Amino acid sequence: GENVEQHPSTLSVQEGDSAVIKCTYSDSASNYFPWYKQELGKGPQLIIDIRSNVGEKKDQRIAVTLNKTAKHFSLHITETQPEDSAVYFCAAIITGTASKLTFGTGTRLQVTL
Amino acid sequence: ETGVTQTPRHLVMGMTNKKSLKCEQHLGHNAMYWYKQSAKKPLELMFVYNFKEQTENNSVPSRFSPECPNSSHLFLHLHTLQPEDSALYLCASSPEGGVGETQYFGPGTRLLVL
């Protein structure tokens, strides 16, 4: 089955700096890659996603890049703010089944003042 | 808010107790999911329901028993649990359970088994 690895497990940046979180996946058939943000006491919330037919997608301060050949994708957050502090999860979907997302282990991002 | 609610938010139970977790979605979706979230581990898919029919059981022990009476409600019945079952249990929904659909998560029930 699919295996998703996520790095780093923790990341601390100063406010205004950029943050990058990287994930690799094993199943070359995966074609949908969402990113979720989980704040304390809440469930994961989708913040951005990318499909395998594009290499990059941007939404204001967040962007995701996908390298299908290398089977890795990354989340980029620019101009970080304290409210960006949360746990971020990447995921990849196994095609052919009903939305069976395989998640990474999460990255705890801390944005310091 | 995502439109997916879960009750209770916190639950403490002994290994001989029977309890149920409830999930309700107000999004008009037809697919619902149970996930287990443990510390330092990836989210684990437990069950999937599409149009009230169970389409996925990810090798979950029988001490967890799901129930989906309609497309808006999902239950997880718990009995004779083990301490290692302590975790955050998340419910999610999506429009039709298709590949590539966005899933919307509830806030979770934090379960502690003593």
Side-chain angles (χ1 to χ4, degrees):
Chain A
E2 176 67 279
N3 181 51
V4 176
E5 294 190 359
Q6 183 172 346
H7 299 281
S9 57
T10 60
L11 179 60
S12 181
V13 299
Q14 283 198 320
E15 183 179 6
D17 288 350
S18 296
V20 180
I21 302 170
K22 298 181 179 181
C23 289
T24 60
Y25 62 99
S26 61
D27 192 338
S28 57
S30 292
N31 62 358
Y32 175 61
F33 308 91
W35 285 89
Y36 286 84
K37 174 184 180 182
Q38 187 173 22
E39 297 174 303
L40 194 63
K42 298 183 179 181
Q45 304 296 313
L46 180 76
I47 56 171
I48 195 168
D49 56 15
I50 191 168
R51 299 183 189 272
S52 59
N53 58 344
V54 298
E56 183 174 359
K57 184 177 178 180
K58 189 173 182 179
D59 182 4
Q60 298 183 337
R61 294 188 297 108
I62 59 172
V64 58
T65 59
L66 171 65
N67 184 325
K68 287 175 56 180
T69 304
K71 289 188 285 188
H72 67 70
F73 55 113
S74 300
L75 177 71
H76 304 254
I77 306 174
T78 58
E79 302 172 30
T80 53
Q81 300 169 3
E83 52 265 37
D84 295 328
S85 298
V87 179
Y88 292 81
F89 293 93
C90 63
I93 195 161
I94 301 174
T95 58
T97 62
S99 295
K100 188 175 180 179
L101 286 171
T102 301
F103 287 85
T105 49
T107 296
R108 182 172 298 279
L109 173 65
Q110 181 69 45
V111 180
T112 58
L113 297 173
Chain B
E1 293 298 319
T2 62
V4 180
T5 58
Q6 290 187 243
T7 55
R9 295 293 309 274
H10 302 272
L11 179 62
V12 179
M13 59 187 290
M15 289 190 285
T16 59
N17 292 157
K18 290 184 179 182
K19 297 287 184 182
S20 295
L21 309 184
K22 179 183 177 182
C23 175
E24 183 174 1
Q25 57 94 1
H26 313 275
L27 301 169
H29 291 169
N30 290 306
M32 297 187 77
Y33 311 77
W34 279 117
Y35 285 87
K36 177 183 179 182
Q37 186 176 35
S38 304
K40 299 183 180 180
K41 293 176 73 174
L43 273 77
E44 303 171 54
L45 179 67
M46 300 175 71
F47 301 104
V48 181
Y49 277 82
N50 266 301
F51 295 91
K52 304 186 298 178
E53 297 296 321
Q54 187 180 125
T55 56
E56 186 88 26
N57 177 337
N58 207 24
S59 302
V60 180
S62 59
R63 57 186 184 269
F64 295 91
S65 175
E67 179 189 0
C68 188
N70 54 61
S71 294
S72 298
H73 294 84
L74 185 64
F75 295 89
L76 188 62
H77 303 299
L78 316 171
H79 63 98
T80 59
L81 294 192
Q82 304 298 311
E84 58 265 31
D85 296 323
S86 299
L88 181 68
Y89 288 85
L90 291 161
C91 173
S93 71
S94 68
E96 294 184 358
V99 172
E101 280 187 341
T102 298
Q103 294 185 18
Y104 296 84
F105 285 83
T109 295
R110 185 158 297 282
L111 173 67
L112 177 62
V113 181
L114 300 175

